[in-house]
Amino acid sequence: MNNIKNLIDDKGVKPTYHRIKILEFLQNNKNHPTADKIYEEIVKYIPTISKTTVYNTLKIFVEKEIIEELTITGNETHYELTEDTGPHHHFYCTQCKTIFDIEAECNQECSKKNDIDGNKVQSYQCYYKGICCNCLRKNNNEMNN
Amino acid sequence: MNNIKNLIDDKGVKPTYHRIKILEFLQNNKNHPTADKIYEEIVKYIPTISKTTVYNTLKIFVEKEIIEELTITGNETHYELTEDTGPHHHFYCTQCKTIFDIEAECNQECSKKNDIDGNKVQSYQCYYKGICCNCLRKNNNEMNN
DNA sequence: GTTCATATTTGTAATCATTACAAATATATA
DNA sequence: TATATATTTGTAATGATTACAAATATGAAC
């Protein structure tokens, strides 16, 4: 709670109750939620919160690089904390729509560049799309029945 | 023209006039156009074409892996030919909204995997977001005036 | 060539995430 | 306490994409 407050404060963002709760949720949910998912969960605890506030807050957090946005699926943005856990890739399962982390065993150097060919880099993302192992197994079981 | 016809035919897609023109456009425009941009240009030559046809066609092409979709910006999908030019990254300028290729000097091996940790890979993308060198220069000039 | 089944295309309406915007509320400052 | 500023809220608008049914074209069988 307090470290979250400081995290926001340090970036020059006023740590309001709403903002703290949203960041807290992202810290406890590493499954790359969408704005809508965040709203659905937060509204259980803050019934008066509006979806616009969630969008506004997420936008501020992205600008301040407190969180990062993942644009993988094409129709909704997912969010994650700007982690201290080092660079990682993402896997998006087109069947169950889940996004999960993939250890980035290669291109560590790419992720650290803040300049490439004279262009100023603000963020770097890599993602795989495909069928996750859970769905593969499920599909296989259904085939054999 | 004929090679495009064959390219479509080989993938089991009937090479209709619309489909050939759409693929032809993508072959001549390497600037990662959106569905809307493709429609705008094609409709000049085929005034009766509908936007739905463009979307349908692009979807078929993606399924057959004739083209690839880039989901970078979060609010619209960009398309490019599944190139024979080897893997590359993309740079998205948040100021001028341009997408251009970046030579992939690292992680060549990642892009070739069709299995990662037991998950079946269908596509792989890496992108940078930031300010391109043209916009940087422009911004700099404006500052000095 | 005609008939029939199928594939493709079209146009319109719906969907859904996100944003715009102005009013309402809370917060901080004098 | 009064006033300015920041935050939050609710509603309406936007815009890319999809759903869907009707219209049209294509191809095979006769």
Side-chain angles (χ1 to χ4, degrees), chain A residues 71-72 74 91 105-107 109-110 113 118-120 122-133 136, chain B residues 71-72 91 105-107 109-110 113 118-120 122-133 136:
Chain A
T71 50
I72 302 182
F91 192 100
E105 76 284 354
C106 57
N107 69 307
E109 66 271 28
C110 285
K113 288 187 178 174
N119 308 290
K120 183 181 173 194
Q122 290 167 338
S123 71
Y124 173 65
Q125 295 286 335
C126 286
Y127 59 78
Y128 298 90
K129 287 183 186 176
I131 312 289
C132 73
C133 47
L136 286 175
Chain B
T71 51
I72 301 182
F91 191 99
E105 76 285 357
C106 58
N107 71 305
E109 64 272 28
C110 284
K113 287 187 178 176
N119 308 289
K120 184 181 172 192
Q122 289 167 337
S123 72
Y124 174 65
Q125 294 286 334
C126 286
Y127 59 79
Y128 298 90
K129 287 183 187 178
I131 312 289
C132 74
C133 47
L136 286 175

Side-chain angles (χ1 to χ4, degrees), chain B residues 5 8-9 11-17 19-20 60-61:
Chain B
K5 214 172 197 167
I8 301 178
D9 229 349
K11 300 278 187 173
V13 178
K14 194 186 289 181
T16 68
Y17 184 64
R19 290 172 179 167
I20 290 170
I60 291 170
F61 285 172

